[in-house]
Amino acid sequence: MQPISNMLMMILVIGILTYGAIRVIQGSLTMGALISFLMYLFQLMGPVIMVSQFFNELAETSGSTERIREMLNEPIEESADDQKVDVAGKELQLQNVSFSYEKDKQILHNINVVAKPNTVVAFAGPSGGGKSTIFSLIERFYKPTSGKITIGNENIDNIDLTNWRHQIGLVGQNSAVMPGTIRENLVCGLDREVSDDELWR
């Protein structure tokens, strides 16, 4: 909208200037009247540009609002049942896990991983290699296209989602600190009161 409105305003300026110059030469219009017309036109340019910017912002806002509506209409994450499992001391396995965000564009191909208790497992690779996607699958933000992820002998899809995520600790690449106290940052996401002693531990 803005380039079109700018072009139209320039055409108007050139048109009035040309027409006014001809009228001034013919003596039917004074130079002062021509300058007055141009000044009025310049005063109109500001509001016209503002209106064009408004339509741009309206189009952007409509797209954002539609996306927010889609997010608000997403169903609440729920587990298949209310089974609660204590994951301490159990083996985490990814068995022939494949995943794709879009159909026919597979990201992970038959991934097999065994993470035994009290061991460290490192995923190393280039950016876009699927490391974050594996963790998203373990956290159940996505479901594998094929294969399964188990803890002990239990498929993680059968575990209560809240119970499962409460037993996962994640330190992200970006250490985000929210406005507020250190305590509020540390207990963020917990649905219970935490004593000072427990917080120190």
Side-chain angles (χ1 to χ4, degrees), residues 101-179:
Y101 289 103
E102 298 176 23
K103 195 176 179 181
D104 302 326
K105 289 185 179 179
Q106 205 169 41
I107 305 296
L108 302 175
H109 311 271
N110 297 323
I111 303 294
N112 290 285
V113 177
V114 177
K116 295 186 178 180
N118 303 313
T119 61
V120 175
V121 178
F123 292 92
S127 179
K131 302 183 295 295
S132 298
T133 301
I134 289 173
F135 285 100
S136 293
L137 290 170
I138 292 170
E139 292 170 286
R140 288 175 58 190
F141 291 125
Y142 302 102
K143 288 189 176 182
T145 312
S146 62
K148 64 179 180 177
I149 304 171
T150 59
I151 186 78
N153 296 319
E154 194 66 50
N155 191 321
I156 65 168
D157 287 339
N158 300 328
I159 301 172
D160 176 76
L161 188 61
T162 304
N163 174 252
W164 174 247
R165 287 189 180 157
H166 269 181
Q167 298 182 83
I168 296 173
L170 175 67
V171 179
Q173 293 176 353
N174 301 320
S175 53
V177 178
M178 297 176 296

Side-chain angles (χ1 to χ4, degrees), residues 73-130:
N73 290 331
E74 280 289 313
I76 296 171
E77 290 179 314
E78 292 180 359
S79 301
D81 53 41
D82 293 326
Q83 186 176 0
K84 291 183 165 77
V85 173
D86 184 5
V87 303
K90 294 186 177 174
E91 193 174 79
L92 177 71
Q93 286 191 54
L94 280 74
Q95 301 172 22
N96 297 315
V97 170
S98 297
F99 178 74
S100 60
Y101 289 103
E102 298 176 23
K103 195 176 179 181
D104 302 326
K105 289 185 179 179
Q106 205 169 41
I107 305 296
L108 302 175
H109 311 271
N110 297 323
I111 303 294
N112 290 285
V113 177
V114 177
K116 295 186 178 180
N118 303 313
T119 61
V120 175
V121 178
F123 292 92
S127 179

Side-chain angles (χ1 to χ4, degrees), residues 54-70:
F54 167 76
F55 280 111
N56 285 342
E57 290 174 11
L58 184 64
E60 290 174 5
T61 307
S62 297
S64 302
T65 306
E66 189 60 36
R67 182 74 183 114
I68 290 169
R69 279 204 195 106
E70 285 177 17

